Amino acid sequence: MDETTASAEPGSEAAKNHFTKAMEEAKAGAQALGKEAQARAEEYREKLNEAKEGWSSEAKAKSGEAKEMAFSFANEGKARTSQALTGLGKMIEDNAGLIDEKVGPKYGEYARGAARSIHDAAGRLDEKSLDELGEDAREFVRQSPALAVGLAAAAGFLLARVFRGK
């Protein structure tokens, strides 16, 4: 062995040891950073879950409030519809005598029959709950889907006309 080779070997060994030690420290540092990242990620997951639970309970509460309001509005609408039908029936009934005089008794009877039918419809509307009315509507759609679509289209057209006019 020559002197340069002999002297390079001990320095080379020291460099290898130093490099190995640095690599071990880097690995240990990376593992420590990984553990710290996992701990922080777990903290954020917990915070997110807490927030999610809060949002979920808040959404459930708002949903319950919305259902109560919708039920209240639906009941109010049902009562107003019944009142309007009763008023319409009374108006037709009150004018049946005039129809008798102007057009004839046959048409006056038609008007009285229509008034009775309207009064009956208003009474049935008052007697039924919203659930029963919903089931009646579903049954009507099952029995007469084409008529139901036609009525829905006509109602939509009328509502569009009413709201466009404002």
Side-chain angles (χ1 to χ4, degrees), residues 4-120:
T4 55
T5 311
S7 65
E9 286 181 8
S12 189
E13 190 64 35
K16 285 182 183 178
N17 287 338
H18 186 56
F19 179 74
T20 303
K21 194 173 190 179
M23 287 299 292
E24 288 173 1
E25 287 178 8
K27 284 181 185 178
Q31 287 175 345
L33 284 175
K35 288 179 182 176
E36 184 179 338
Q38 286 177 345
R40 285 191 181 180
E42 185 60 33
E43 287 177 27
Y44 290 133
R45 260 188 236 107
E46 288 174 8
K47 287 180 182 178
L48 180 62
N49 284 336
E50 289 173 8
K52 186 173 81 171
E53 288 173 9
W55 294 333
S56 177
S57 63
E58 186 176 328
K60 285 179 184 175
K62 295 290 183 189
S63 173
E65 290 174 14
K67 282 181 183 178
E68 287 177 20
M69 286 182 70
F71 189 73
S72 174
F73 287 143
N75 275 328
E76 185 178 322
K78 182 182 102 161
R80 286 185 179 181
T81 302
S82 177
Q83 289 172 351
L85 286 174
T86 301
L88 177 63
K90 178 143 177 51
M91 183 182 73
I92 292 172
E93 189 177 317
D94 290 346
N95 288 304
L98 183 62
I99 293 171
D100 283 339
E101 292 174 18
K102 299 285 183 179
V103 184
K106 178 179 174 183
Y107 295 102
E109 280 306 310
Y110 287 146
R112 286 182 191 84
R116 279 191 297 275
S117 294
I118 291 172
H119 280 294
D120 291 344

